Amino acid sequence: MTIRVFLVDDQALVRAGFAMVVDAQEDMRVVGEAGDGAEALTKLAVTAADVILMDVRMPRMDGVETTRRLLAQRTGEEGPKVIVLTTFDLDEYAFAALRAGASGFLLKDAPPESVLAAVRTVFRGDAVIAPSTTRRLLDHVATALPDPQPGPDPLAALTEREREVLLEVARGASNAEIAAKLFLSEATVKTHVGRILAKLKLRDRVQAVVLAYERGLVRPSG
């Protein structure tokens, strides 16, 4: 199956570079480009894409708002996945894009093999960045996180064991590390993670980490 990639960046040279790398792959092709978020929304309304490489800082409409609007139109798992591109490793815009539903972020100067691996990973339905990377980003922006909204706590739906697993996920632990710490098999941990995502209506582990921070389940390190 060919992965349909759409490029959104206000720099034509950046788009050209990504297009050259993507179109050189047997399992990918670029199906469209846009120079800002507003143009991207217009074109994506009539262009089917699987993965969108989205610049986070653009004039007219930035990548955060574009991601929010684009994914608000998506039903369930159907529709494109978004990878946001940023110049800065610890970028508040990147965090905002994760909250808006992006599947992860990449630095613009990432090597081509990392970009291609990210596209394939997101296409399969996984998050493109490790929870530990997300945690570092969240530690950086934690002071700007809003207080939990009043109302029912979504974490109340979790069992005690599921809360323990979520806490370890939020700390950046892998399934193998969680299994060793909680004396479980990796298969059991994977099952727990799947149930956590389903109960909380989250797409991936990255969103689980974001929610854990927002609800105060985990606090910034250092």
Side-chain angles (χ1 to χ4, degrees):
M1 181 178 292
T2 300
I3 304 173
R4 300 165 297 183
V5 180
F6 194 96
L7 307 174
V8 188
D9 197 293
D10 60 329
Q11 298 181 50
L13 282 176
V14 172
R15 297 199 308 271
F18 280 125
M20 184 171 60
V21 170
V22 170
D23 282 333
Q25 308 305 304
E26 293 184 356
D27 60 339
M28 299 181 192
R29 66 184 173 93
V30 173
V31 295
E33 300 181 14
D36 61 53
E39 181 186 1
L41 290 177
T42 298
K43 289 187 173 181
L44 284 165
V46 294
T47 304
D50 299 307
V51 177
I52 301 168
L53 292 176
M54 178 88 69
D55 187 17
V56 75
R57 300 188 183 213
M58 296 180 291
R60 205 150 69 113
M61 184 184 296
D62 64 27
V64 176
E65 181 60 25
T66 307
T67 297
R68 184 179 295 114
R69 294 192 187 189
L70 182 66
L71 298 185
Q73 304 168 7
R74 195 169 78 177
T75 56
E77 291 299 309
E78 296 302 318
K81 309 289 179 61
V82 176
I83 300 172
V84 294
L85 303 168
T86 176
T87 309
F88 307 103
D89 192 10
L90 297 176
D91 190 340
E92 289 86 348
Y93 279 76
F95 169 70
L98 294 180
R99 292 186 68 196
S103 295
F105 71 94
L106 281 175
L107 292 179
K108 277 191 172 183
D109 60 359
E113 56 268 23
S114 295
V115 175
L116 297 172
V119 170
R120 293 184 179 104
T121 298
V122 167
F123 179 69
R124 292 195 302 267
D126 297 323
V128 73
I129 56 176
S132 56
T133 306
T134 311
R135 175 160 190 181
R136 200 158 49 82
L137 175 65
L138 289 171
D139 283 349
H140 179 67
V141 301
T143 56
L145 288 176
D147 292 330
Q149 295 298 310
D153 180 3
L155 301 185
L158 303 181
T159 66
E160 189 60 35
R161 177 61 89 186
E162 287 167 350
R163 287 178 71 95
E164 290 177 340
V165 171
L166 175 59
L167 177 59
E168 295 306 319
V169 169
R171 288 171 171 164
S174 67
N175 284 358
E177 291 168 337
I178 297 171
K181 183 168 184 177
L182 300 182
F183 303 102
L184 301 169
S185 69
E186 284 192 52
T188 299
V189 172
K190 186 175 180 180
T191 298
H192 280 310
V193 171
R195 288 174 178 166
I196 290 167
L197 298 181
K199 286 183 177 182
L200 300 180
K201 297 181 172 59
L202 303 174
R203 273 188 291 275
D204 53 47
R205 292 167 77 107
V206 170
Q207 289 196 324
V209 178
V210 172
L211 181 63
Y213 266 77
E214 290 182 329
R215 302 306 302 186
L217 183 64
V218 65
R219 298 295 182 184
S221 59

